[in-house]
Amino acid sequence: MKRFEFSLNKLMGYKQQVLDKEKSSLAHLRMQQQKMQEEKEQLEASLHRSAEEFRELSEKGVTVTQITMFKGYHQSLRMQIKELESSIEDMETKVQKQLGVVVEATKEVSSLEKLEEKQLEDYRFKVAKAEEQFISEYVMNSTYR
């Protein structure tokens, strides 16, 4: 009997490539999201340091110009943080959408793998039957001789 060959092997290879591509895309989106989160944390740390610096200077006495400068800088940092928060939320939406795509691609590959297992099981059953038939014929032929 010829060796086992999955009838949808090319399709499964293609679906596996699609799955790998989608997983790579998901990893890239998550990496971008993580970078944004780190940048936001850095801005928040800068805001905190600047607020501490302003508090220390205000205890010693500050000019109106310095107050205006600190307020402008703090407002700029807060706006950057808000923009990053919005970008992070948008990225989270993209990540969730891509995660859905990966799940669907995984399901498709998994269903093909299950089909391959079933075909392999059928193949093994047929091989066992053929071997059984061969042995039976051999015994019968050797008995008649």
Side-chain angles (χ1 to χ4, degrees), residues 11-36:
L11 178 64
M12 189 162 79
Y14 170 73
K15 293 291 185 177
Q16 187 64 48
Q17 286 178 346
V18 169
L19 175 61
D20 293 343
K21 179 181 150 262
E22 297 300 342
K23 281 182 177 180
S24 175
S25 179
L26 177 63
H28 182 70
L29 288 173
R30 284 184 170 163
M31 186 177 70
Q32 285 180 320
Q33 184 182 27
Q34 182 63 34
K35 283 181 181 178
M36 288 179 188

mmCIF file with all atom_site columns, all heavy atoms in Angstrom, residues 11-36:
data_model
loop_
_atom_site.group_PDB
_atom_site.id
_atom_site.type_symbol
_atom_site.label_atom_id
_atom_site.label_alt_id
_atom_site.label_comp_id
_atom_site.label_asym_id
_atom_site.label_entity_id
_atom_site.label_seq_id
_atom_site.pdbx_PDB_ins_code
_atom_site.Cartn_x
_atom_site.Cartn_y
_atom_site.Cartn_z
_atom_site.occupancy
_atom_site.B_iso_or_equiv
_atom_site.pdbx_formal_charge
_atom_site.auth_seq_id
_atom_site.auth_comp_id
_atom_site.auth_asym_id
_atom_site.auth_atom_id
_atom_site.pdbx_PDB_model_num
ATOM 1   N N   . LEU A 1 11 ? -3.240 23.048 1.482  1.00 0.00 ? 11 LEU A N   1
ATOM 2   C CA  . LEU A 1 11 ? -4.122 24.013 2.140  1.00 0.00 ? 11 LEU A CA  1
ATOM 3   C C   . LEU A 1 11 ? -3.693 24.229 3.584  1.00 0.00 ? 11 LEU A C   1
ATOM 4   O O   . LEU A 1 11 ? -3.664 25.361 4.067  1.00 0.00 ? 11 LEU A O   1
ATOM 5   C CB  . LEU A 1 11 ? -5.583 23.546 2.080  1.00 0.00 ? 11 LEU A CB  1
ATOM 6   C CG  . LEU A 1 11 ? -6.597 24.444 2.784  1.00 0.00 ? 11 LEU A CG  1
ATOM 7   C CD1 . LEU A 1 11 ? -6.650 25.814 2.116  1.00 0.00 ? 11 LEU A CD1 1
ATOM 8   C CD2 . LEU A 1 11 ? -7.971 23.794 2.799  1.00 0.00 ? 11 LEU A CD2 1
ATOM 9   N N   . MET A 1 12 ? -3.347 23.133 4.267  1.00 0.00 ? 12 MET A N   1
ATOM 10  C CA  . MET A 1 12 ? -2.920 23.259 5.656  1.00 0.00 ? 12 MET A CA  1
ATOM 11  C C   . MET A 1 12 ? -1.624 24.067 5.743  1.00 0.00 ? 12 MET A C   1
ATOM 12  O O   . MET A 1 12 ? -1.470 24.896 6.646  1.00 0.00 ? 12 MET A O   1
ATOM 13  C CB  . MET A 1 12 ? -2.738 21.896 6.314  1.00 0.00 ? 12 MET A CB  1
ATOM 14  C CG  . MET A 1 12 ? -2.502 22.020 7.820  1.00 0.00 ? 12 MET A CG  1
ATOM 15  S SD  . MET A 1 12 ? -2.774 20.518 8.738  1.00 0.00 ? 12 MET A SD  1
ATOM 16  C CE  . MET A 1 12 ? -1.271 19.661 8.415  1.00 0.00 ? 12 MET A CE  1
ATOM 17  N N   . GLY A 1 13 ? -0.717 23.862 4.811  1.00 0.00 ? 13 GLY A N   1
ATOM 18  C CA  . GLY A 1 13 ? 0.517  24.649 4.791  1.00 0.00 ? 13 GLY A CA  1
ATOM 19  C C   . GLY A 1 13 ? 0.235  26.130 4.610  1.00 0.00 ? 13 GLY A C   1
ATOM 20  O O   . GLY A 1 13 ? 0.823  26.976 5.283  1.00 0.00 ? 13 GLY A O   1
ATOM 21  N N   . TYR A 1 14 ? -0.687 26.418 3.701  1.00 0.00 ? 14 TYR A N   1
ATOM 22  C CA  . TYR A 1 14 ? -1.073 27.817 3.471  1.00 0.00 ? 14 TYR A CA  1
ATOM 23  C C   . TYR A 1 14 ? -1.706 28.424 4.718  1.00 0.00 ? 14 TYR A C   1
ATOM 24  O O   . TYR A 1 14 ? -1.365 29.540 5.126  1.00 0.00 ? 14 TYR A O   1
ATOM 25  C CB  . TYR A 1 14 ? -2.036 27.907 2.287  1.00 0.00 ? 14 TYR A CB  1
ATOM 26  C CG  . TYR A 1 14 ? -2.654 29.275 2.132  1.00 0.00 ? 14 TYR A CG  1
ATOM 27  C CD1 . TYR A 1 14 ? -1.912 30.349 1.656  1.00 0.00 ? 14 TYR A CD1 1
ATOM 28  C CD2 . TYR A 1 14 ? -3.982 29.503 2.501  1.00 0.00 ? 14 TYR A CD2 1
ATOM 29  C CE1 . TYR A 1 14 ? -2.467 31.607 1.531  1.00 0.00 ? 14 TYR A CE1 1
ATOM 30  C CE2 . TYR A 1 14 ? -4.547 30.763 2.377  1.00 0.00 ? 14 TYR A CE2 1
ATOM 31  C CZ  . TYR A 1 14 ? -3.791 31.811 1.891  1.00 0.00 ? 14 TYR A CZ  1
ATOM 32  O OH  . TYR A 1 14 ? -4.344 33.047 1.787  1.00 0.00 ? 14 TYR A OH  1
ATOM 33  N N   . LYS A 1 15 ? -2.632 27.674 5.326  1.00 0.00 ? 15 LYS A N   1
ATOM 34  C CA  . LYS A 1 15 ? -3.310 28.178 6.536  1.00 0.00 ? 15 LYS A CA  1
ATOM 35  C C   . LYS A 1 15 ? -2.306 28.380 7.671  1.00 0.00 ? 15 LYS A C   1
ATOM 36  O O   . LYS A 1 15 ? -2.433 29.329 8.450  1.00 0.00 ? 15 LYS A O   1
ATOM 37  C CB  . LYS A 1 15 ? -4.419 27.221 6.983  1.00 0.00 ? 15 LYS A CB  1
ATOM 38  C CG  . LYS A 1 15 ? -5.588 27.134 6.023  1.00 0.00 ? 15 LYS A CG  1
ATOM 39  C CD  . LYS A 1 15 ? -6.386 28.405 5.991  1.00 0.00 ? 15 LYS A CD  1
ATOM 40  C CE  . LYS A 1 15 ? -7.626 28.258 5.127  1.00 0.00 ? 15 LYS A CE  1
ATOM 41  N NZ  . LYS A 1 15 ? -8.447 29.443 5.143  1.00 0.00 ? 15 LYS A NZ  1
ATOM 42  N N   . GLN A 1 16 ? -1.304 27.519 7.762  1.00 0.00 ? 16 GLN A N   1
ATOM 43  C CA  . GLN A 1 16 ? -0.276 27.660 8.792  1.00 0.00 ? 16 GLN A CA  1
ATOM 44  C C   . GLN A 1 16 ? 0.549  28.921 8.537  1.00 0.00 ? 16 GLN A C   1
ATOM 45  O O   . GLN A 1 16 ? 0.883  29.647 9.474  1.00 0.00 ? 16 GLN A O   1
ATOM 46  C CB  . GLN A 1 16 ? 0.626  26.425 8.827  1.00 0.00 ? 16 GLN A CB  1
ATOM 47  C CG  . GLN A 1 16 ? 1.617  26.422 9.975  1.00 0.00 ? 16 GLN A CG  1
ATOM 48  C CD  . GLN A 1 16 ? 0.950  26.373 11.329 1.00 0.00 ? 16 GLN A CD  1
ATOM 49  O OE1 . GLN A 1 16 ? 0.062  25.580 11.566 1.00 0.00 ? 16 GLN A OE1 1
ATOM 50  N NE2 . GLN A 1 16 ? 1.369  27.240 12.226 1.00 0.00 ? 16 GLN A NE2 1
ATOM 51  N N   . GLN A 1 17 ? 0.848  29.201 7.268  1.00 0.00 ? 17 GLN A N   1
ATOM 52  C CA  . GLN A 1 17 ? 1.575  30.429 6.933  1.00 0.00 ? 17 GLN A CA  1
ATOM 53  C C   . GLN A 1 17 ? 0.751  31.663 7.310  1.00 0.00 ? 17 GLN A C   1
ATOM 54  O O   . GLN A 1 17 ? 1.283  32.639 7.841  1.00 0.00 ? 17 GLN A O   1
ATOM 55  C CB  . GLN A 1 17 ? 1.897  30.473 5.439  1.00 0.00 ? 17 GLN A CB  1
ATOM 56  C CG  . GLN A 1 17 ? 2.997  29.555 5.010  1.00 0.00 ? 17 GLN A CG  1
ATOM 57  C CD  . GLN A 1 17 ? 3.236  29.618 3.507  1.00 0.00 ? 17 GLN A CD  1
ATOM 58  O OE1 . GLN A 1 17 ? 2.425  30.148 2.748  1.00 0.00 ? 17 GLN A OE1 1
ATOM 59  N NE2 . GLN A 1 17 ? 4.361  29.060 3.066  1.00 0.00 ? 17 GLN A NE2 1
ATOM 60  N N   . VAL A 1 18 ? -0.540 31.612 7.021  1.00 0.00 ? 18 VAL A N   1
ATOM 61  C CA  . VAL A 1 18 ? -1.431 32.727 7.378  1.00 0.00 ? 18 VAL A CA  1
ATOM 62  C C   . VAL A 1 18 ? -1.433 32.914 8.891  1.00 0.00 ? 18 VAL A C   1
ATOM 63  O O   . VAL A 1 18 ? -1.332 34.041 9.394  1.00 0.00 ? 18 VAL A O   1
ATOM 64  C CB  . VAL A 1 18 ? -2.864 32.483 6.844  1.00 0.00 ? 18 VAL A CB  1
ATOM 65  C CG1 . VAL A 1 18 ? -3.841 33.488 7.432  1.00 0.00 ? 18 VAL A CG1 1
ATOM 66  C CG2 . VAL A 1 18 ? -2.886 32.546 5.331  1.00 0.00 ? 18 VAL A CG2 1
ATOM 67  N N   . LEU A 1 19 ? -1.547 31.799 9.618  1.00 0.00 ? 19 LEU A N   1
ATOM 68  C CA  . LEU A 1 19 ? -1.548 31.874 11.080 1.00 0.00 ? 19 LEU A CA  1
ATOM 69  C C   . LEU A 1 19 ? -0.247 32.487 11.593 1.00 0.00 ? 19 LEU A C   1
ATOM 70  O O   . LEU A 1 19 ? -0.274 33.368 12.463 1.00 0.00 ? 19 LEU A O   1
ATOM 71  C CB  . LEU A 1 19 ? -1.762 30.484 11.681 1.00 0.00 ? 19 LEU A CB  1
ATOM 72  C CG  . LEU A 1 19 ? -1.672 30.387 13.202 1.00 0.00 ? 19 LEU A CG  1
ATOM 73  C CD1 . LEU A 1 19 ? -2.740 31.251 13.865 1.00 0.00 ? 19 LEU A CD1 1
ATOM 74  C CD2 . LEU A 1 19 ? -1.808 28.942 13.653 1.00 0.00 ? 19 LEU A CD2 1
ATOM 75  N N   . ASP A 1 20 ? 0.872  32.051 11.076 1.00 0.00 ? 20 ASP A N   1
ATOM 76  C CA  . ASP A 1 20 ? 2.163  32.598 11.498 1.00 0.00 ? 20 ASP A CA  1
ATOM 77  C C   . ASP A 1 20 ? 2.247  34.096 11.218 1.00 0.00 ? 20 ASP A C   1
ATOM 78  O O   . ASP A 1 20 ? 2.742  34.865 12.052 1.00 0.00 ? 20 ASP A O   1
ATOM 79  C CB  . ASP A 1 20 ? 3.311  31.866 10.808 1.00 0.00 ? 20 ASP A CB  1
ATOM 80  C CG  . ASP A 1 20 ? 3.440  30.421 11.256 1.00 0.00 ? 20 ASP A CG  1
ATOM 81  O OD1 . ASP A 1 20 ? 2.879  30.060 12.313 1.00 0.00 ? 20 ASP A OD1 1
ATOM 82  O OD2 . ASP A 1 20 ? 4.099  29.638 10.534 1.00 0.00 ? 20 ASP A OD2 1
ATOM 83  N N   . LYS A 1 21 ? 1.757  34.505 10.057 1.00 0.00 ? 21 LYS A N   1
ATOM 84  C CA  . LYS A 1 21 ? 1.764  35.935 9.685  1.00 0.00 ? 21 LYS A CA  1
ATOM 85  C C   . LYS A 1 21 ? 0.892  36.738 10.645 1.00 0.00 ? 21 LYS A C   1
ATOM 86  O O   . LYS A 1 21 ? 1.284  37.813 11.115 1.00 0.00 ? 21 LYS A O   1
ATOM 87  C CB  . LYS A 1 21 ? 1.273  36.096 8.251  1.00 0.00 ? 21 LYS A CB  1
ATOM 88  C CG  . LYS A 1 21 ? 1.209  37.521 7.767  1.00 0.00 ? 21 LYS A CG  1
ATOM 89  C CD  . LYS A 1 21 ? 0.679  37.587 6.337  1.00 0.00 ? 21 LYS A CD  1
ATOM 90  C CE  . LYS A 1 21 ? -0.049 38.861 6.103  1.00 0.00 ? 21 LYS A CE  1
ATOM 91  N NZ  . LYS A 1 21 ? -1.467 38.835 6.196  1.00 0.00 ? 21 LYS A NZ  1
ATOM 92  N N   . GLU A 1 22 ? -0.277 36.208 10.948 1.00 0.00 ? 22 GLU A N   1
ATOM 93  C CA  . GLU A 1 22 ? -1.198 36.915 11.853 1.00 0.00 ? 22 GLU A CA  1
ATOM 94  C C   . GLU A 1 22 ? -0.634 36.978 13.274 1.00 0.00 ? 22 GLU A C   1
ATOM 95  O O   . GLU A 1 22 ? -0.783 37.986 13.965 1.00 0.00 ? 22 GLU A O   1
ATOM 96  C CB  . GLU A 1 22 ? -2.577 36.252 11.852 1.00 0.00 ? 22 GLU A CB  1
ATOM 97  C CG  . GLU A 1 22 ? -3.297 36.276 10.512 1.00 0.00 ? 22 GLU A CG  1
ATOM 98  C CD  . GLU A 1 22 ? -3.558 37.668 9.959  1.00 0.00 ? 22 GLU A CD  1
ATOM 99  O OE1 . GLU A 1 22 ? -3.504 38.663 10.705 1.00 0.00 ? 22 GLU A OE1 1
ATOM 100 O OE2 . GLU A 1 22 ? -3.816 37.780 8.743  1.00 0.00 ? 22 GLU A OE2 1
ATOM 101 N N   . LYS A 1 23 ? 0.019  35.919 13.718 1.00 0.00 ? 23 LYS A N   1
ATOM 102 C CA  . LYS A 1 23 ? 0.652  35.929 15.045 1.00 0.00 ? 23 LYS A CA  1
ATOM 103 C C   . LYS A 1 23 ? 1.772  36.959 15.093 1.00 0.00 ? 23 LYS A C   1
ATOM 104 O O   . LYS A 1 23 ? 1.933  37.661 16.095 1.00 0.00 ? 23 LYS A O   1
ATOM 105 C CB  . LYS A 1 23 ? 1.214  34.548 15.381 1.00 0.00 ? 23 LYS A CB  1
ATOM 106 C CG  . LYS A 1 23 ? 0.181  33.564 15.848 1.00 0.00 ? 23 LYS A CG  1
ATOM 107 C CD  . LYS A 1 23 ? 0.846  32.239 16.213 1.00 0.00 ? 23 LYS A CD  1
ATOM 108 C CE  . LYS A 1 23 ? -0.131 31.241 16.767 1.00 0.00 ? 23 LYS A CE  1
ATOM 109 N NZ  . LYS A 1 23 ? 0.533  29.968 17.122 1.00 0.00 ? 23 LYS A NZ  1
ATOM 110 N N   . SER A 1 24 ? 2.522  37.047 14.004 1.00 0.00 ? 24 SER A N   1
ATOM 111 C CA  . SER A 1 24 ? 3.605  38.023 13.929 1.00 0.00 ? 24 SER A CA  1
ATOM 112 C C   . SER A 1 24 ? 3.044  39.444 13.983 1.00 0.00 ? 24 SER A C   1
ATOM 113 O O   . SER A 1 24 ? 3.586  40.319 14.666 1.00 0.00 ? 24 SER A O   1
ATOM 114 C CB  . SER A 1 24 ? 4.390  37.818 12.640 1.00 0.00 ? 24 SER A CB  1
ATOM 115 O OG  . SER A 1 24 ? 5.365  38.804 12.494 1.00 0.00 ? 24 SER A OG  1
ATOM 116 N N   . SER A 1 25 ? 1.952  39.655 13.283 1.00 0.00 ? 25 SER A N   1
ATOM 117 C CA  . SER A 1 25 ? 1.300  40.961 13.289 1.00 0.00 ? 25 SER A CA  1
ATOM 118 C C   . SER A 1 25 ? 0.801  41.306 14.693 1.00 0.00 ? 25 SER A C   1
ATOM 119 O O   . SER A 1 25 ? 0.945  42.446 15.154 1.00 0.00 ? 25 SER A O   1
ATOM 120 C CB  . SER A 1 25 ? 0.139  40.959 12.293 1.00 0.00 ? 25 SER A CB  1
ATOM 121 O OG  . SER A 1 25 ? -0.515 42.188 12.286 1.00 0.00 ? 25 SER A OG  1
ATOM 122 N N   . LEU A 1 26 ? 0.227  40.328 15.367 1.00 0.00 ? 26 LEU A N   1
ATOM 123 C CA  . LEU A 1 26 ? -0.241 40.538 16.747 1.00 0.00 ? 26 LEU A CA  1
ATOM 124 C C   . LEU A 1 26 ? 0.916  40.890 17.664 1.00 0.00 ? 26 LEU A C   1
ATOM 125 O O   . LEU A 1 26 ? 0.815  41.816 18.482 1.00 0.00 ? 26 LEU A O   1
ATOM 126 C CB  . LEU A 1 26 ? -0.973 39.291 17.247 1.00 0.00 ? 26 LEU A CB  1
ATOM 127 C CG  . LEU A 1 26 ? -1.454 39.336 18.700 1.00 0.00 ? 26 LEU A CG  1
ATOM 128 C CD1 . LEU A 1 26 ? -2.483 40.449 18.891 1.00 0.00 ? 26 LEU A CD1 1
ATOM 129 C CD2 . LEU A 1 26 ? -2.051 37.983 19.092 1.00 0.00 ? 26 LEU A CD2 1
ATOM 130 N N   . ALA A 1 27 ? 2.027  40.183 17.529 1.00 0.00 ? 27 ALA A N   1
ATOM 131 C CA  . ALA A 1 27 ? 3.201  40.464 18.361 1.00 0.00 ? 27 ALA A CA  1
ATOM 132 C C   . ALA A 1 27 ? 3.717  41.881 18.102 1.00 0.00 ? 27 ALA A C   1
ATOM 133 O O   . ALA A 1 27 ? 4.101  42.593 19.043 1.00 0.00 ? 27 ALA A O   1
ATOM 134 C CB  . ALA A 1 27 ? 4.296  39.443 18.085 1.00 0.00 ? 27 ALA A CB  1
ATOM 135 N N   . HIS A 1 28 ? 3.699  42.289 16.838 1.00 0.00 ? 28 HIS A N   1
ATOM 136 C CA  . HIS A 1 28 ? 4.147  43.645 16.490 1.00 0.00 ? 28 HIS A CA  1
ATOM 137 C C   . HIS A 1 28 ? 3.231  44.700 17.127 1.00 0.00 ? 28 HIS A C   1
ATOM 138 O O   . HIS A 1 28 ? 3.713  45.694 17.679 1.00 0.00 ? 28 HIS A O   1
ATOM 139 C CB  . HIS A 1 28 ? 4.182  43.805 14.968 1.00 0.00 ? 28 HIS A CB  1
ATOM 140 C CG  . HIS A 1 28 ? 4.661  45.132 14.513 1.00 0.00 ? 28 HIS A CG  1
ATOM 141 N ND1 . HIS A 1 28 ? 5.968  45.543 14.632 1.00 0.00 ? 28 HIS A ND1 1
ATOM 142 C CD2 . HIS A 1 28 ? 3.999  46.176 13.946 1.00 0.00 ? 28 HIS A CD2 1
ATOM 143 C CE1 . HIS A 1 28 ? 6.091  46.760 14.166 1.00 0.00 ? 28 HIS A CE1 1
ATOM 144 N NE2 . HIS A 1 28 ? 4.915  47.176 13.732 1.00 0.00 ? 28 HIS A NE2 1
ATOM 145 N N   . LEU A 1 29 ? 1.926  44.482 17.052 1.00 0.00 ? 29 LEU A N   1
ATOM 146 C CA  . LEU A 1 29 ? 0.983  45.427 17.664 1.00 0.00 ? 29 LEU A CA  1
ATOM 147 C C   . LEU A 1 29 ? 1.184  45.501 19.170 1.00 0.00 ? 29 LEU A C   1
ATOM 148 O O   . LEU A 1 29 ? 1.157  46.591 19.760 1.00 0.00 ? 29 LEU A O   1
ATOM 149 C CB  . LEU A 1 29 ? -0.457 45.020 17.347 1.00 0.00 ? 29 LEU A CB  1
ATOM 150 C CG  . LEU A 1 29 ? -0.930 45.230 15.915 1.00 0.00 ? 29 LEU A CG  1
ATOM 151 C CD1 . LEU A 1 29 ? -2.317 44.621 15.713 1.00 0.00 ? 29 LEU A CD1 1
ATOM 152 C CD2 . LEU A 1 29 ? -0.945 46.709 15.556 1.00 0.00 ? 29 LEU A CD2 1
ATOM 153 N N   . ARG A 1 30 ? 1.377  44.361 19.796 1.00 0.00 ? 30 ARG A N   1
ATOM 154 C CA  . ARG A 1 30 ? 1.594  44.343 21.251 1.00 0.00 ? 30 ARG A CA  1
ATOM 155 C C   . ARG A 1 30 ? 2.886  45.055 21.626 1.00 0.00 ? 30 ARG A C   1
ATOM 156 O O   . ARG A 1 30 ? 2.955  45.732 22.653 1.00 0.00 ? 30 ARG A O   1
ATOM 157 C CB  . ARG A 1 30 ? 1.602  42.912 21.773 1.00 0.00 ? 30 ARG A CB  1
ATOM 158 C CG  . ARG A 1 30 ? 0.214  42.323 21.855 1.00 0.00 ? 30 ARG A CG  1
ATOM 159 C CD  . ARG A 1 30 ? 0.221  40.941 22.451 1.00 0.00 ? 30 ARG A CD  1
ATOM 160 N NE  . ARG A 1 30 ? -1.142 40.506 22.725 1.00 0.00 ? 30 ARG A NE  1
ATOM 161 C CZ  . ARG A 1 30 ? -1.489 39.261 22.929 1.00 0.00 ? 30 ARG A CZ  1
ATOM 162 N NH1 . ARG A 1 30 ? -0.573 38.302 22.915 1.00 0.00 ? 30 ARG A NH1 1
ATOM 163 N NH2 . ARG A 1 30 ? -2.741 38.946 23.171 1.00 0.00 ? 30 ARG A NH2 1
ATOM 164 N N   . MET A 1 31 ? 3.915  44.902 20.785 1.00 0.00 ? 31 MET A N   1
ATOM 165 C CA  . MET A 1 31 ? 5.175  45.575 21.044 1.00 0.00 ? 31 MET A CA  1
ATOM 166 C C   . MET A 1 31 ? 4.990  47.092 20.942 1.00 0.00 ? 31 MET A C   1
ATOM 167 O O   . MET A 1 31 ? 5.492  47.849 21.784 1.00 0.00 ? 31 MET A O   1
ATOM 168 C CB  . MET A 1 31 ? 6.238  45.100 20.049 1.00 0.00 ? 31 MET A CB  1
ATOM 169 C CG  . MET A 1 31 ? 7.632  45.629 20.318 1.00 0.00 ? 31 MET A CG  1
ATOM 170 S SD  . MET A 1 31 ? 8.860  44.981 19.173 1.00 0.00 ? 31 MET A SD  1
ATOM 171 C CE  . MET A 1 31 ? 8.364  45.803 17.664 1.00 0.00 ? 31 MET A CE  1
ATOM 172 N N   . GLN A 1 32 ? 4.250  47.547 19.930 1.00 0.00 ? 32 GLN A N   1
ATOM 173 C CA  . GLN A 1 32 ? 3.973  48.980 19.786 1.00 0.00 ? 32 GLN A CA  1
ATOM 174 C C   . GLN A 1 32 ? 3.199  49.494 21.001 1.00 0.00 ? 32 GLN A C   1
ATOM 175 O O   . GLN A 1 32 ? 3.484  50.578 21.516 1.00 0.00 ? 32 GLN A O   1
ATOM 176 C CB  . GLN A 1 32 ? 3.166  49.243 18.526 1.00 0.00 ? 32 GLN A CB  1
ATOM 177 C CG  . GLN A 1 32 ? 3.945  49.154 17.248 1.00 0.00 ? 32 GLN A CG  1
ATOM 178 C CD  . GLN A 1 32 ? 3.069  49.422 16.034 1.00 0.00 ? 32 GLN A CD  1
ATOM 179 O OE1 . GLN A 1 32 ? 1.930  48.979 15.975 1.00 0.00 ? 32 GLN A OE1 1
ATOM 180 N NE2 . GLN A 1 32 ? 3.616  50.148 15.078 1.00 0.00 ? 32 GLN A NE2 1
ATOM 181 N N   . GLN A 1 33 ? 2.212  48.708 21.439 1.00 0.00 ? 33 GLN A N   1
ATOM 182 C CA  . GLN A 1 33 ? 1.409  49.092 22.585 1.00 0.00 ? 33 GLN A CA  1
ATOM 183 C C   . GLN A 1 33 ? 2.293  49.206 23.838 1.00 0.00 ? 33 GLN A C   1
ATOM 184 O O   . GLN A 1 33 ? 2.159  50.148 24.615 1.00 0.00 ? 33 GLN A O   1
ATOM 185 C CB  . GLN A 1 33 ? 0.299  48.069 22.810 1.00 0.00 ? 33 GLN A CB  1
ATOM 186 C CG  . GLN A 1 33 ? -0.649 48.435 23.918 1.00 0.00 ? 33 GLN A CG  1
ATOM 187 C CD  . GLN A 1 33 ? -1.711 47.366 24.141 1.00 0.00 ? 33 GLN A CD  1
ATOM 188 O OE1 . GLN A 1 33 ? -1.484 46.187 23.847 1.00 0.00 ? 33 GLN A OE1 1
ATOM 189 N NE2 . GLN A 1 33 ? -2.852 47.766 24.631 1.00 0.00 ? 33 GLN A NE2 1
ATOM 190 N N   . GLN A 1 34 ? 3.202  48.262 24.008 1.00 0.00 ? 34 GLN A N   1
ATOM 191 C CA  . GLN A 1 34 ? 4.099  48.291 25.165 1.00 0.00 ? 34 GLN A CA  1
ATOM 192 C C   . GLN A 1 34 ? 5.011  49.515 25.119 1.00 0.00 ? 34 GLN A C   1
ATOM 193 O O   . GLN A 1 34 ? 5.244  50.160 26.145 1.00 0.00 ? 34 GLN A O   1
ATOM 194 C CB  . GLN A 1 34 ? 4.934  47.003 25.211 1.00 0.00 ? 34 GLN A CB  1
ATOM 195 C CG  . GLN A 1 34 ? 5.856  46.907 26.405 1.00 0.00 ? 34 GLN A CG  1
ATOM 196 C CD  . GLN A 1 34 ? 5.112  46.884 27.721 1.00 0.00 ? 34 GLN A CD  1
ATOM 197 O OE1 . GLN A 1 34 ? 4.010  46.349 27.820 1.00 0.00 ? 34 GLN A OE1 1
ATOM 198 N NE2 . GLN A 1 34 ? 5.698  47.467 28.742 1.00 0.00 ? 34 GLN A NE2 1
ATOM 199 N N   . LYS A 1 35 ? 5.499  49.856 23.930 1.00 0.00 ? 35 LYS A N   1
ATOM 200 C CA  . LYS A 1 35 ? 6.348  51.047 23.799 1.00 0.00 ? 35 LYS A CA  1
ATOM 201 C C   . LYS A 1 35 ? 5.574  52.306 24.182 1.00 0.00 ? 35 LYS A C   1
ATOM 202 O O   . LYS A 1 35 ? 6.105  53.190 24.857 1.00 0.00 ? 35 LYS A O   1
ATOM 203 C CB  . LYS A 1 35 ? 6.882  51.175 22.366 1.00 0.00 ? 35 LYS A CB  1
ATOM 204 C CG  . LYS A 1 35 ? 8.015  50.245 22.050 1.00 0.00 ? 35 LYS A CG  1
ATOM 205 C CD  . LYS A 1 35 ? 8.505  50.464 20.624 1.00 0.00 ? 35 LYS A CD  1
ATOM 206 C CE  . LYS A 1 35 ? 9.631  49.511 20.286 1.00 0.00 ? 35 LYS A CE  1
ATOM 207 N NZ  . LYS A 1 35 ? 10.097 49.671 18.904 1.00 0.00 ? 35 LYS A NZ  1
ATOM 208 N N   . MET A 1 36 ? 4.328  52.376 23.735 1.00 0.00 ? 36 MET A N   1
ATOM 209 C CA  . MET A 1 36 ? 3.495  53.531 24.090 1.00 0.00 ? 36 MET A CA  1
ATOM 210 C C   . MET A 1 36 ? 3.285  53.601 25.601 1.00 0.00 ? 36 MET A C   1
ATOM 211 O O   . MET A 1 36 ? 3.335  54.683 26.192 1.00 0.00 ? 36 MET A O   1
ATOM 212 C CB  . MET A 1 36 ? 2.139  53.451 23.391 1.00 0.00 ? 36 MET A CB  1
ATOM 213 C CG  . MET A 1 36 ? 2.161  53.713 21.939 1.00 0.00 ? 36 MET A CG  1
ATOM 214 S SD  . MET A 1 36 ? 0.475  53.555 21.289 1.00 0.00 ? 36 MET A SD  1
ATOM 215 C CE  . MET A 1 36 ? 0.788  53.670 19.550 1.00 0.00 ? 36 MET A CE  1
#
